[in-house]
Amino acid sequence: MALHPSISARLSLIEDLPSWREALADPTVQLRLQEYRTWKAAPALPSVETSDESIPGPHGPIAVRVYRPPSAPQRPRPGLVWVHGGGWVFGDLDMREADWTSRELCARADAVVVSVDYRLAVDGVTYPVPHDDVVAAVLWVRENAAVLGIAPARITIGGASAGANLAAGAVLRLRDDDNWLPTSLVLAYAAMHSVLPPLSPALAEGLAQLPRMVRILPEDVAEMTGNYLGGAPDPHGYALPANGALDGLCPILLLDAEYDDLRASSEAFAAAVVKSGVPVRHVTVPGVLHGFLNLPATVKPVDQALTVLAETVAAAPAGGLDPDQGERG
């Protein structure tokens, strides 16, 4: 389908701008960027309880934010460890993809959500440091499930974009190191390759008329992943899960944006996971761009995507999700 009207109406604000990195460094375009990213009609977010915690990690303390439903639980709740995106160089606990998404999923799934402020790949930080931070956060949630009010057998790991990469890499490592898997793995517009797989003709045609600012071209992927790796070896595929051994994983939900170059990475990863015999549900969210979880739930496709995520967190059975390649939500 066509881009959602509320998204297409904004593209004129950025159609002549270069990459986000260059635009953010240009003070002359800040008002345009602010208008592009502002949603005046954004609704009030769900009312949930939050607490900021500092947890131990192999590279020093890690900040996490815990989101809890306001009502007293009748029993331990499902839990979600959530990892924001940002190309491994941007993002924090307050970005919409972290905070808005965590609040929505906490309320919709009646779940405890732990959002992770992993170290970014800046100022000399590279893999495995962000990966190690996410692994440490998952272990902390697992070990403190009773205190957090989480049912230990109902922990989901998830993330968006670079955060989806980190979430999947953490699950691969915990499978290998601890023989442990979460109930499910939920990945939104995931970045899984150092070299972007070829776009399908239909995807290439759909993306061709979009502004450069909303594209993630092969050279962008190479730059992002090269910066993240920093020359560090990745023998197990933990940094780039598309290169890892995928057999024996928990059920996976993949959410893709219809208009997103990284859809090629997610689709290739989905095919590899299915080939490994892992249950997968693969949903393409229509009419949206990469990073759609930064948008308010008043945008209907975003609301639908949040519903799919919340249903998976709340009710994904240990036995697996029904494979559903190519579903459109």
Side-chain angles (χ1 to χ4, degrees):
M1 64 177 287
L3 271 175
H4 191 275
S6 64
I7 298 173
S8 60
R10 297 165 177 266
L11 294 183
S12 61
L13 293 166
I14 60 168
E15 62 185 357
D16 61 338
L17 297 180
S19 67
W20 278 100
R21 186 187 297 271
E22 295 174 79
L24 288 170
D26 183 352
T28 66
V29 300
Q30 296 310 302
L31 289 178
R32 288 167 60 188
L33 290 180
Q34 182 177 355
E35 184 177 354
Y36 176 77
R37 295 185 294 183
T38 299
W39 292 79
K40 295 182 177 64
L45 293 167
S47 177
V48 299
E49 298 175 356
T50 66
S51 61
D52 289 343
E53 310 282 348
S54 179
I55 67 173
H59 307 286
I62 305 163
V64 300
R65 182 171 295 161
V66 181
Y67 297 77
R68 295 179 175 88
S71 60
Q74 300 300 311
R75 61 184 65 83
R77 288 182 160 105
L80 168 66
V81 180
W82 181 253
V83 192
H84 68 76
W88 298 281
V89 295
F90 299 113
D92 55 32
L93 295 178
D94 294 322
M95 72 181 291
R96 296 170 180 177
E97 190 176 76
D99 187 60
W100 285 13
T101 302
S102 295
R103 291 175 184 274
E104 290 281 2
L105 295 179
C106 175
R108 292 172 184 239
D110 193 36
V112 177
V113 180
V114 179
S115 181
V116 185
D117 195 21
Y118 58 90
R119 287 165 177 80
L120 301 174
V122 297
D123 299 327
V125 173
T126 64
Y127 175 82
V129 174
H131 166 79
D132 288 343
D133 282 352
V134 175
V135 171
V138 175
L139 290 172
W140 180 80
V141 169
R142 196 179 76 184
E143 293 164 5
N144 292 276
V147 175
L148 293 166
I150 293 173
R154 300 185 68 195
I155 297 173
T156 294
I157 315 299
S161 194
N165 167 291
L166 291 166
V171 170
L172 289 174
R173 172 137 164 230
L174 289 166
R175 176 202 61 186
D176 295 345
D177 288 358
D178 278 5
N179 194 30
W180 178 86
L181 291 170
T183 301
S184 57
L185 177 62
V186 294
L187 307 174
Y189 38 90
M192 296 300 195
H193 298 79
S194 60
V195 177
L196 186 66
L199 307 185
S200 69
L203 178 56
E205 181 180 357
L207 294 171
Q209 303 304 315
L210 294 179
R212 175 66 177 87
M213 281 277 283
V214 299
R215 298 292 306 274
I216 304 175
L217 301 180
E219 57 264 33
D220 301 322
V221 173
E223 180 184 359
M224 288 189 302
T225 56
N227 175 71
Y228 172 47
L229 287 171
D234 178 28
H236 304 293
Y238 300 153
L240 295 166
N243 298 335
L246 303 176
D247 54 295
L249 283 177
C250 59
I252 298 174
L253 168 67
L254 287 160
L255 290 181
D256 283 332
E258 182 178 10
Y259 294 93
D260 182 5
D261 293 89
L262 283 190
R263 200 175 118 197
S265 179
S266 183
E267 288 174 344
F269 181 74
V273 171
V274 169
K275 189 175 180 179
S276 296
V278 176
V280 176
R281 183 182 182 191
H282 189 193
V283 178
T284 300
V285 182
V288 294
L289 302 168
H290 183 85
F292 62 77
L293 290 176
N294 287 291
L295 307 184
T298 48
V299 180
K300 186 176 179 180
V302 177
D303 176 67
Q304 293 170 335
L306 288 167
T307 296
V308 172
L309 283 167
E311 289 173 348
T312 303
V313 172
L321 299 167
D322 291 334
D324 194 357
Q325 292 297 105
E327 173 178 342
R328 300 179 65 81

